[in-house]
Each structure stands twice: as C-alpha cells, then as structure tokens.
Amino acid sequence: MPKIIPFKAVRPTRAIVGLVAARPYQSYTIDERESRMAYNPYSFLHIVNPGYKYDQEVTGKERYRLVKNRYSEFKEDGVFVQDEKPSFYAYKIVNRHGQEFNGIIAATSAEDYENDLIKKHEDTIAKREETFKSYLQTVGFNAEPVLLTYPDNTVIAEIIKDTQKGHAEFEFTMTYRDTHYLWKIDTDDTIATIQKEFEKMKTVYIADGHHRSASSYLLYKDEKAKNPNHNGSESYNFFMSYLIPESDLVIHEFNRLVTDLNGLTKEEFLIQLDASYRIENRGSMPYKPSKPHHFSMYLDGEFYSLLLRKTAFEFNTALDQLDAYLLYKTILQSILGIDDLRHDNRISYVNGQHEMITIKSGVDSGEFSVGFGMCPSNVQQMKQIADEGLTMPPKSTYILPKLRSGITIFEY
C-alpha cells in the first residue's frame, strides 16, 4: 500500500521554464557547463554551481550554503513561484526518438522505503548517501525526482489522459530535442482517486535514483529523531518522485570495454573463454546479440558471438539470469580479474543507445583491448531481483526517461 501525497511545487514561470531546466550537473562537460552559464542567467546550473558567480570552485558545506543562497535569489527574482494548493502533476516527455513517457510527479513516503514498499535493485554507496543527505539538510529542497515505476493501471492512465486534454502549465523543448509537458492535478476527488489506486498496489519499484531515495530516507531518520513532536506529516517524511507505468519504462543495456586481457595473449584468452562459451568469429562487421545469455565481443579487429554453454553456469536466483551478472561472473571476474565493477579503472561502460561501432572504435583506438555487448534486461527481471532482496551489478541498466532538474521542486 504505497502512500503518495500532493505537494506545493516550486516551479519556474511558464515563460522561462525551458531556460531553467537542466540535465544533472555531472552529465555536462566543464566546457558545456561554462557555456550554458555564460549565456543563460536562468539555468538551474547557476544554483548547483554557485561558485561560478565568483569564478571560484567551492565544495562541501560552503557550497551547500551558497546553493541555498542562489536558490533564494531565484525565488526573490520571481524565477521560481510556489503553487498555492497541494497538487499532483501529470508529466509527459516525448524524446527525440518519439518515445513517450507519461506519469505523475508526487511526494512519496520515506517510511514506505524503510518498509520495502518502495523496492530497490541497486546497491548504494554509504558515503554518497551521507553527502547528499547533508546537502538536503542544508539547502532545504530537492529539484530532481526519483524515477519510480508501478504496474499499469487503467484508472490512473485515464486520469492522466483526461488531464492532458486541458491546457498544459508547461510545454517546452530542450536542446536535446526532448519535449516536456506538465499539467496540475489539484481537484480533491481526483487526488483521492489516484491515492486509492496506489494504495491497492503491493509495491512500487525504483527505476532510477537509488542514491537520492536512500539519502532522503536518511534525512527522514535524522529529522524524525530530532523532532519530539514528530507526527508523520512533516515534509521530511517524503521525497519527490516521478511515477510511470511499467509499460512506459525503457531499459537499455550498458556495454563493457576493458583495457587489457589480464596478461593473456589473444589465443590464451579465447581458449579460456571456450570453457564457458561457444565462440563464432563474425568478421569485421558490427555484430549485436539478439537473445539472453548471448554476448558479442570485439577483439583484435573482429567481432565474435559468445553463446553460453548449457552446463557452464548454474542458475539459482533471478540475479543469475541477468546478463550483466553472467558476464561479470564468467568473464570479467574469472578471466580478466576485474572484481570491483564500480571502481576498477580497467573497465568502462557505453550505454546501449550507442551502436556497436562505438565499442569497435574504442578498441581500434588502442585505448581498450576488448569490448562486450549484450541484450538489455527487462522490467520483470528488475522486479524479480528486487523482490528477492538482491541487487544488480553496477551499470546493469540505462533507463529512460532521463529527468531534468528545476522543473518541479520539493521543499523540506
């Protein structure tokens, strides 16, 4: 019975929302950030990179304090305005490939996260959780929703469809050519209907934003412990999420590039692979696998297909069925000696939106020795792994939609 509630979003004005909205800070190169901030005074990047104003790099609590100041200045200047009535927000994204995503922005419960009604499928790093918790405590707002997914629901779908017949609060297109639309849902009866439909569900699942949700949970625990009059309605009990039906979620794979063969010659490497895989040389044309437990490999100017031998691996859990885990256990760890997929600098990742030619280019450049491609996982695999209390290896999924910061803001 997941709990969602409406909230009074702080939002940019309609005239400049397209100038305010930004991708996550880390996704920009330094040159991209500098260019956007130099020519766009409204970009949300000015808030999260506050030292730009003084041509100075600031970090830690000093940065958090300045982020809060920049945010306050945007509000004082009328760039951001808070809605007067708590609302849900119907939100649609149409990306450059024509893929459409429809869902609801709402406040979701940190207690539900604690009680496993909001399920996760990825490990998080404790240091990053603590860092972002400290950030939230200082700045007092969250500007990027966690992406959650729920079982398709006809009642919610009809409400979203009917809402979208009205005039959108926002409609704008980013330089990435993805178009964003937002509508308010603020009638009491409609809000109550949406809440009842979510209460009927057993669980919802984190698709993207594991660290943001974990940090919000830590914030909830801290603030609850400090508040002798805690009653569960305080804003710190919730975090902002974008909830979309499972059928709207798009999952791509992350392909792998490795710098060396762990001291093996090409021939020795292929012989070791043969113990677990049927290997077929596919020549120089890019080759992509078409079914689970089937990988492509690019090595020394040639593509290979790798088909797992039936007796090569024992499947006991949902995680064992995941190709990213299978590749890790049978090749990356056992042959190439890569234990830590998150921190080993011998391995790099390329999201599956890029063609296999990207893997070929990385190896042909000499920067890498071998590359691997795989099929993407699916929503059911993600849910089964979460239901069994297991976690995927890092970079197992590249999930769409990718959200923008600064479109709706949740204040603590």
Side-chain angles (χ1 to χ4, degrees):
M1 295 175 60
K3 179 180 181 180
I4 68 168
I5 65 167
F7 68 102
K8 297 179 182 178
V10 176
R11 302 188 282 122
T13 59
R14 180 182 177 89
I16 58 173
V17 60
L19 296 172
V20 173
R23 303 198 315 268
Y25 178 80
Q26 298 87 345
S27 70
Y28 294 93
T29 66
I30 293 175
D31 287 344
E32 284 177 326
R33 287 200 300 265
E34 299 252 336
S35 174
R36 279 162 171 74
M37 288 187 286
Y39 294 103
N40 179 7
Y42 299 112
S43 174
F44 195 78
L45 292 172
H46 284 284
I47 294 176
V48 294
N49 188 24
Y52 177 82
K53 183 176 182 179
Y54 305 109
D55 194 25
Q56 183 74 35
E57 185 74 27
V58 290
T59 58
K61 291 190 176 180
E62 182 181 25
R63 174 177 170 261
Y64 304 162
R65 179 179 59 79
L66 291 176
V67 167
K68 185 175 183 179
N69 290 348
R70 294 293 164 275
Y71 176 64
S72 297
E73 290 166 6
F74 269 48
K75 290 179 72 176
E76 291 163 5
D77 293 343
V79 176
F80 287 132
V81 178
Q82 186 167 31
D83 287 330
E84 295 182 358
K85 184 177 181 181
S87 304
F88 291 139
Y89 300 89
Y91 186 36
K92 178 168 80 169
I93 303 170
V94 182
N95 69 17
R96 67 198 311 177
H97 305 294
Q99 294 168 313
E100 186 172 309
F101 308 94
N102 293 279
I104 293 173
I105 295 175
T108 46
S109 168
E111 190 173 14
D112 284 351
Y113 180 90
E114 180 177 46
N115 294 330
D116 212 25
L117 297 179
I118 297 175
K119 293 198 171 188
K120 51 188 177 291
H121 65 268
E122 286 185 7
D123 277 330
T124 51
I125 301 170
K127 185 177 180 180
R128 283 184 62 187
E129 291 178 17
E130 288 289 340
T131 296
F132 193 59
K133 180 201 73 173
S134 178
Y135 170 85
L136 293 174
Q137 284 178 319
T138 303
V139 304
F141 68 87
N142 186 10
E144 183 182 347
V146 172
L147 181 62
L148 301 181
T149 189
Y150 60 88
D152 285 39
N153 181 290
T154 55
V155 174
I156 296 172
E158 282 301 314
I159 289 173
I160 292 173
K161 184 178 178 180
D162 288 344
T163 300
Q164 291 175 348
K165 293 176 182 176
H167 180 68
E169 297 281 320
F170 293 154
E171 180 181 343
F172 63 95
T173 301
M174 305 290 291
T175 55
Y176 262 44
R177 293 182 293 175
D178 50 344
T179 303
H180 300 249
Y181 307 81
L182 182 137
W183 296 260
K184 286 173 65 174
I185 300 174
D186 59 4
T187 60
D188 292 342
D189 287 348
T190 305
I191 288 171
T193 300
I194 292 171
Q195 289 177 313
K196 287 177 182 176
E197 291 303 311
F198 274 98
E199 286 172 2
K200 294 176 185 177
M201 301 175 191
K202 288 181 61 178
T203 56
V204 294
Y205 294 81
I206 300 172
D208 198 12
H210 285 79
H211 280 93
R212 292 194 299 278
S213 50
S215 300
S216 297
Y217 169 62
L218 292 180
L219 175 71
Y220 151 77
K221 287 206 302 182
D222 275 11
E223 297 302 315
K224 178 181 178 181
K226 290 189 293 188
N227 184 2
N229 299 312
H230 171 85
N231 60 30
S233 65
E234 299 88 352
S235 58
Y236 60 74
N237 291 279
F238 303 93
F239 56 94
M240 183 170 63
S241 296
Y242 178 42
L243 300 108
I244 70 171
E246 292 172 5
S247 60
D248 273 20
L249 203 65
V250 174
I251 302 179
H252 293 284
E253 74 282 10
F254 269 105
N255 296 319
R256 272 73 166 140
L257 285 159
V258 181
T259 58
D260 61 79
L261 299 181
N262 198 26
L264 299 172
T265 65
K266 171 186 172 181
E267 292 73 20
E268 289 169 339
F269 176 59
L270 289 171
I271 288 170
Q272 290 204 27
L273 273 181
D274 193 84
S276 298
Y277 291 91
R278 291 182 58 182
I279 304 170
E280 184 176 344
N281 189 317
R282 298 280 183 160
S284 60
M285 294 298 293
Y287 171 75
K288 186 177 177 65
S290 58
K291 54 188 176 182
H293 310 163
H294 183 190
F295 302 95
S296 63
M297 180 178 71
Y298 185 69
L299 173 68
D300 194 26
E302 295 178 306
F303 281 92
Y304 296 83
S305 62
L306 307 179
L307 180 61
L308 185 72
R309 296 187 185 280
K310 293 180 180 180
T311 58
F313 194 79
E314 188 174 342
F315 298 96
N316 296 310
T317 69
L319 183 60
D320 294 333
Q321 297 284 346
L322 187 73
D323 278 354
Y325 182 73
L326 191 60
L327 182 70
Y328 169 63
K329 295 301 288 185
T330 60
I331 301 177
L332 299 178
Q333 185 185 52
S334 60
I335 300 176
L336 296 178
I338 297 173
D339 291 315
D340 188 344
L341 292 172
R342 197 184 297 277
H343 298 112
D344 195 318
N345 59 15
R346 296 171 56 218
I347 187 167
S348 294
Y349 303 91
V350 179
N351 80 65
Q353 286 188 299
H354 297 279
E355 299 293 334
M356 288 303 296
I357 194 70
T358 307
I359 298 294
K360 181 180 186 300
S361 298
V363 175
D364 288 347
S365 71
E367 184 180 0
F368 300 97
S369 292
V370 64
F372 300 95
M374 68 187 81
C375 294
S377 56
N378 57 52
V379 174
Q380 291 307 314
Q381 283 182 299
M382 184 186 80
K383 290 172 61 176
Q384 288 168 4
I385 288 168
D387 288 342
E388 292 181 20
L390 303 170
T391 54
M392 294 182 176
K395 299 291 186 182
S396 291
T397 56
Y398 181 83
I399 292 179
L400 299 177
K402 293 298 180 189
L403 306 179
R404 299 295 186 258
S405 297
I407 297 174
T408 57
I409 296 173
F410 180 79
E411 292 189 338
Y412 294 102

